[in-house]
Amino acid sequence: MEAEAEEKNLQLKEINADLESLLATTLEVDDYVNLESFRVVAEHPPFGGSKLESAIRPPDPIPAPPEPTFVPPEPPKGLIASLFGKKKHAVVTEEAREAHERALKEWRMTINELPSRRQAAAKAHALAEAQRLAALEAARTKYAKECAAREAYAADRNRRVDELIANLGYGTPEAVQEYVSIVMSNSAYPGHFTVTHEFEFDPASAELKLRVLVPGPDTILETKAYRYTKSTDEITSTSMSQKACRDRFASVVHQVALRSIHEVFESDRRGLIKTISLEVGSNTIDPATGLPTYVPFVVVGAERQLFLTFDLSAVVPMLTLERLGAAVSKNPYGLVAAETSGVRRT
């Protein structure tokens, strides 16, 4: 039980550490996406029908059995045997001749059957060989089609990469949208904190309208620590104060806001996006109506040239948002929306 309590505390510490380092984590990586890395080369597995390439060994020849030869029984020896064994010897000899005739008959039947047996063996071999060749041809055809499909996929993918690179060079809205989509999909948040992005690029103003949806306040674990009490043989927990919960969730929201702006501007080396109009909020249930609603926690406009002068590794996110003239919820943990009437737009 003590080990279980310690494990729970370790998991709690890891979760809280993840949430406290949302901004710092992205600063450790370059968010630029080299589109050349999306090119592929078709790789083909070995041909799976290689066993079919070897011809089937012809059947062993069926040899003709030797013709039976008659071997007469030896005549009786000695005077008494010659006098009294002639009759018996004649019977034995006759039986031997009859056996020899039967053997000859069977031998002739075998000899007569040899051509048909050899023909049947050759026919069976020819059929098996034809089936092998047909199976080999089918396997080669299938393999060729699969290789062609892989080549076609690689060619199509590389063509689309070429188009994206070219269109991004021209700053077409669709290319910028697709590139931002790739950047946002590369933004790795902790598994217990799912973030989604919605965005639209306006080429006329070079502005990206970005909405970031974060999990609600229930993401913040109210548990402060676990403890095993030996006297009751139970694991109990202590809770954080409401203020600590509010501060932690507000910090998460502020970090996500700066992180999202940073990832877009850092990844856009061409400077196609001049400004970002950002909202960070949650889809939740309105406690007053019980209906789904969207609550914005941060609404801010950021200009590229100014934002890239900030050293985000040394800032207090809330103060940075204030410097940008952001509208920030006074209590996102309580699902209080940001007051957007006076927000400064870029």
Side-chain angles (χ1 to χ4, degrees):
M1 294 288 280
E2 288 178 350
E4 183 179 347
E6 184 178 349
E7 179 65 20
K8 285 179 174 288
N9 282 325
L10 181 60
Q11 292 175 355
L12 188 64
K13 183 178 180 180
E14 290 177 349
I15 291 173
N16 291 333
D18 286 341
L19 296 178
E20 290 169 1
S21 61
L22 291 177
L23 177 58
T25 299
T26 197
L27 299 179
E28 297 172 355
V29 298
D30 185 355
D31 297 300
Y32 170 72
V33 178
N34 182 7
L35 296 178
E36 294 289 344
S37 65
F38 284 83
R39 298 187 187 280
V40 295
V41 176
E43 296 182 358
H44 307 299
F47 175 53
S50 56
K51 292 182 178 180
L52 295 171
E53 292 178 330
S54 299
I56 299 175
R57 188 173 67 89
D60 293 333
I62 303 176
E67 181 180 352
T69 57
F70 176 69
V71 181
E74 291 186 4
K77 296 179 181 180
L79 180 60
I80 296 176
S82 64
L83 291 175
F84 299 100
K86 289 183 178 180
K87 186 175 181 180
K88 185 177 180 181
H89 178 261
V91 172
V92 172
T93 301
E94 184 61 26
E95 290 176 349
R97 289 185 184 281
E98 291 175 354
H100 177 63
E101 288 299 327
R102 289 195 298 270
L104 278 175
K105 185 177 180 181
E106 291 178 1
W107 175 78
R108 291 189 186 99
M109 290 178 58
T110 301
I111 292 298
N112 292 335
E113 291 173 353
L114 274 180
S116 61
R117 289 176 59 195
R118 288 168 176 167
Q119 184 179 7
K123 185 176 180 181
H125 174 260
L127 177 61
E129 184 66 4
Q131 291 174 340
R132 177 191 72 84
L133 293 173
L136 177 61
E137 182 63 24
R140 284 174 172 167
T141 300
K142 180 183 177 184
Y143 182 69
K145 288 182 178 179
E146 292 173 347
C147 290
R150 285 186 284 267
E151 294 286 354
Y153 169 80
D156 180 66
R157 179 182 173 114
N158 293 337
R159 176 187 57 76
R160 288 186 285 115
V161 170
D162 288 335
E163 290 179 355
L164 178 57
I165 292 174
N167 291 336
L168 197 61
Y170 292 116
T172 63
E174 295 79 11
V176 175
Q177 285 273 134
E178 186 171 356
Y179 181 74
V180 172
S181 176
I182 295 171
V183 172
M184 295 291 94
S185 65
N186 285 348
S187 181
Y189 281 86
H192 56 84
F193 189 79
T194 304
V195 173
T196 58
H197 305 85
E198 301 171 0
F199 46 87
E200 183 180 359
F201 178 65
D202 180 7
S205 59
E207 179 179 79
L208 182 73
K209 295 180 180 179
L210 175 61
R211 173 179 285 187
V212 183
L213 297 174
V214 298
D218 53 355
T219 304
I220 302 301
L221 300 178
E222 296 182 356
T223 303
K224 184 177 182 180
Y226 293 96
R227 183 171 62 116
Y228 169 62
T229 304
K230 185 177 295 186
S231 60
T232 60
D233 193 33
E234 292 180 339
I235 294 177
T236 58
S237 63
T238 56
S239 300
M240 294 194 304
S241 66
Q242 285 293 302
K243 182 180 183 304
C245 290
R246 288 197 303 270
D247 290 347
R248 176 163 289 170
F249 187 64
S251 172
V252 166
V253 170
H254 302 158
Q255 289 184 75
V256 170
L258 294 185
R259 170 175 171 154
S260 301
I261 298 172
H262 165 78
E263 287 174 338
V264 173
F265 279 150
E266 183 179 63
S267 65
D268 177 24
R269 291 183 179 177
R270 292 180 174 85
L272 300 172
I273 300 171
K274 302 301 182 184
T275 59
I276 296 175
S277 176
L278 173 72
E279 281 190 17
V280 178
S282 284
N283 287 324
T284 184
I285 301 297
D286 188 337
T289 65
L291 300 176
T293 187
Y294 166 73
V295 180
F297 299 136
V298 174
V299 180
V300 63
E303 191 270 327
R304 176 187 181 86
Q305 189 173 356
L306 172 63
F307 189 85
L308 291 181
T309 63
F310 297 166
D311 180 3
L312 297 183
S313 65
V315 303
V316 176
M318 177 60 192
L319 297 181
T320 304
L321 292 172
E322 289 181 356
R323 174 65 61 90
L324 293 172
V328 181
S329 168
K330 295 181 179 180
N331 183 14
Y333 187 75
L335 296 176
V336 176
E339 176 56 56
T340 61
S341 58
V343 64
R344 184 201 312 165
R345 301 286 183 176
T346 57

